[in-house]
């Protein structure tokens, strides 16, 4: 089958639309369910790449810098995300350690790296790197499994419970992680699949 550039299926309700070239800054919405189908902004690609690259850099801070510090009298305890992941690394809880590491660090990093790999050359007007479309498809497959924000919700609940028991100080990793959650959400709002895939298609021709 050959892809049709002007026919577009709504990802939510499956309504089929005929989509002409969109002027810059305009959005096309589904006539049935109002989902955004495409944006007329090629800059959206640059924005996605910049946001993904920023998150990748912040991720290095998340892994290696202190996340939280607890103080209770003379007792002080510091923990990084890496320590948190390694807490359950031995015994029967080891699979939990692997799962936490996978969902909050490895999968989000993989997804961000795939996004940068597939879209960075487009953002500077170059032909895409090999495997760009496969990388982009995998970044979409991984999206539901990258659960950094769910980890942050868990941390927030734990903080409320701990606040009465000890003095808590948030480390640089905590703020980086919060920034990543925000930046990822912002990046996802820029992800008009139709715009990105059409740009990738056009650049390989
Ligand atoms: Zn729809």
């Amino acid at each position: 089958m050959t892809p049709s550039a002007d026919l577009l299926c709504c990802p939510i309700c499956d309504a089929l639309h005929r989509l002409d070239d969109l002027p810059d800054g305009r959005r096309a919405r589904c006539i049935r369910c109002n989902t955004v189908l495409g944006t007329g902004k090629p800059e959206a690609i640059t924005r996605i790449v910049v946001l993904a690259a920023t998150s990748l850099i912040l991720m290095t801070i998340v892994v290696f810098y202190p996340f939280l510090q607890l103080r209770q009298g003379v007792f002080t305890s510091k923990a990084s995300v890496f320590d948190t992941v390694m807490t359950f690394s031995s015994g029967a809880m080891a699979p939990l350690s692997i799962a936490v590491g996978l969902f909050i660090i490895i999968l989000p990093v993989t997804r961000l790296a795939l996004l940068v790999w597939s879209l960075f050359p487009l953002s500077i007007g170059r032909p895409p790197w090999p495997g760009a479309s496969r990388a982009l498809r995998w970044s979409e497959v991984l999206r539901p499994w990258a659960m950094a924000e769910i980890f942050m919700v868990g941390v927030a609940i734990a903080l409320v419970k701990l606040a009465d028991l000890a003095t808590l100080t948030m480390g640089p990793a905590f703020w980086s992680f919060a920034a990543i959650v925000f930046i990822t959400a912002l990046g996802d709002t820029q992800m008009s699949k139709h715009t990105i895939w059409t740009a990738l298609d056009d650049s390989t021709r």
Side-chain angles (χ1 to χ4, degrees), residues 9-183:
C9 187
C10 170
I12 304 294
C13 72
D14 277 356
L16 203 57
H17 301 76
R18 195 175 295 282
L19 190 72
D20 299 320
D21 277 346
L22 281 167
D24 279 4
R26 295 297 296 273
R27 289 180 159 199
R29 286 179 183 275
C30 173
I31 49 161
R32 195 193 269 164
C33 70
N34 220 28
T35 306
V36 175
L37 297 176
T39 51
K41 291 179 190 163
E43 314 94 84
I45 292 174
T46 314
R47 221 170 292 159
I48 291 165
V49 172
V50 170
L51 292 174
T54 311
S55 297
L56 268 180
I57 294 163
L58 288 173
M59 216 43 161
T60 56
I61 299 177
V62 166
V63 175
F64 298 109
Y65 282 78
F67 189 78
L68 278 179
Q69 184 178 319
L70 284 171
R71 206 171 58 241
Q72 230 281 312
V74 288
F75 168 77
T76 308
S77 172
K78 255 188 211 169
S80 69
V81 172
F82 189 70
D83 297 332
T84 315
V85 170
M86 295 312 281
T87 310
F88 310 108
S89 62
S90 59
M93 299 290 265
L96 183 64
S97 215
I98 296 167
V100 171
L102 206 62
F103 290 133
I104 68 169
I105 300 171
I106 297 170
L107 290 181
V109 166
T110 310
R111 187 184 163 225
L112 293 168
L114 287 171
L115 268 180
V116 173
W117 178 270
S118 57
L119 297 177
F120 173 69
L122 293 191
S123 69
I124 53 169
R126 295 277 171 84
W129 285 330
S133 56
R134 193 176 299 164
L136 188 55
R137 189 161 55 82
W138 273 101
S139 81
E140 278 300 307
V141 171
L142 290 181
R143 190 209 285 240
W145 299 101
M147 301 187 191
E149 63 276 25
I150 293 173
F151 177 72
M152 279 312 265
V153 173
V155 169
I157 294 168
L159 288 185
V160 172
K161 299 256 183 197
L162 280 172
D164 297 336
L165 304 172
T167 313
L168 291 167
T169 319
M170 279 70 138
F174 178 89
W175 300 112
S176 302
F177 218 128
I180 289 171
V181 170
F182 180 74
I183 290 170

